[in-house]
Amino acid sequence: MKTLFFDLDGTLIDSAVGITRCVAYSLERMGHPGLGEATLRRWIGPALRVSYGQLFDAPADIERAVALYRERFESEGWREHTIYDGIGDAVEAAHAAGWRLAVVTAKNEPHARKIVDTLPFGARFREVVGATPDGRLSHKPELIAEALARFGIDADRAAASCTMIGDRHMDIEGAVHHRMRGIGVLWGFGDEAELRDAGAHALARTPADLTALFAQA
């Protein structure tokens, strides 16, 4: 069965408000002067420990910042998102065409599952794979590997039958790592140059473009 792995933030949902507010909250509590809005938006996609590691040297400070982020996210941040127009139609079309669907995200898996459960098309996803709270799984190559393991897909079948869809270079680099097709989407937080440089096989400017790309595949 052919399988589509969807990123969450910047692909299915616009989560900029929730993520940036949680980062700002954590930095304020840490006594950090804070970051500009444009810089905060670049935090959407990478693993939290990678981003906090650029600001704090001590592992204990990084872990405290992550804990503070999650503190606000669990109470408020997980609800602070909107669904991209048309993405639900693309998901439904892929499901109707017989694709197996899953979410693969660097977001903490319990948080990702909580969000996907509220999406009107969330039931179409057979699995939700996210980062482990301890950071053991946090980068796209290892998250995709976990998704493949849960579905029992070996490396050769992954290259022939799986596609990763996302808005940042990490999504495409994860696909390249596993020799999979990678589709970059341009309504999220990355840009065309970033996605092309990462090795995207195709780009979708709108969710409707995704449906056409699925048909071609």
Side-chain angles (χ1 to χ4, degrees):
M1 180 180 289
K2 291 189 174 183
T3 306
L4 298 175
F5 296 140
F6 285 82
D7 178 44
L8 181 58
D9 300 313
T11 301
L12 298 176
I13 60 171
D14 182 347
S15 50
V17 171
I19 292 174
T20 58
R21 286 179 179 175
C22 290
V23 174
Y25 168 83
S26 68
L27 295 180
E28 181 181 5
R29 293 286 303 275
M30 293 288 292
H32 188 277
L35 302 170
E37 187 68 22
T39 301
L40 285 172
R41 287 178 66 86
R42 301 304 295 177
W43 283 52
I44 304 171
L48 281 176
R49 287 178 175 86
V50 171
S51 297
Y52 282 118
Q54 296 172 3
L55 302 179
F56 304 108
D57 295 326
D61 288 340
I62 294 171
E63 292 304 313
R64 180 166 179 254
V66 170
L68 288 167
Y69 175 99
R70 289 177 177 164
E71 176 181 281
R72 187 188 184 281
F73 196 89
E74 288 170 4
S75 63
E76 300 176 67
W78 75 273
R79 295 190 300 261
E80 296 171 325
H81 64 262
T82 58
I83 300 169
Y84 287 110
D85 289 341
I87 194 63
D89 293 335
V91 169
E92 293 291 353
H95 176 265
W99 290 85
R100 177 170 55 188
L101 310 180
V103 171
V104 180
T105 173
K107 189 181 289 300
N108 190 20
E109 185 167 314
H111 293 160
R113 288 184 175 275
K114 190 173 183 178
I115 291 169
V116 171
D117 284 346
T118 69
L119 301 179
F121 47 85
R124 299 306 189 192
F125 296 105
R126 301 267 194 99
E127 185 59 270
V128 177
V129 178
T132 53
D134 63 1
R136 180 179 58 85
L137 296 178
S138 58
H139 302 290
K140 269 293 158 61
E142 58 203 35
L143 292 165
I144 292 174
E146 175 67 16
L148 295 174
R150 292 188 193 182
F151 285 127
I153 302 172
D154 63 28
D156 289 337
R157 283 201 296 140
S161 65
C162 296
T163 299
M164 180 71 215
I165 302 154
D167 67 307
R168 296 298 313 276
H169 66 89
M170 294 79 72
D171 303 305
I172 304 304
E173 289 164 356
V176 170
H177 179 84
H178 290 280
R179 298 185 293 120
M180 291 164 40
R181 180 177 170 85
I183 297 177
V185 304
L186 296 175
W187 54 83
F189 303 107
D191 59 31
E192 183 169 349
E194 172 183 331
L195 294 165
R196 289 194 185 281
D197 289 347
H201 289 82
L203 297 177
R205 297 190 178 279
T206 68
D209 292 339
L210 278 180
T211 302
L213 291 169
F214 299 158
Q216 292 172 13

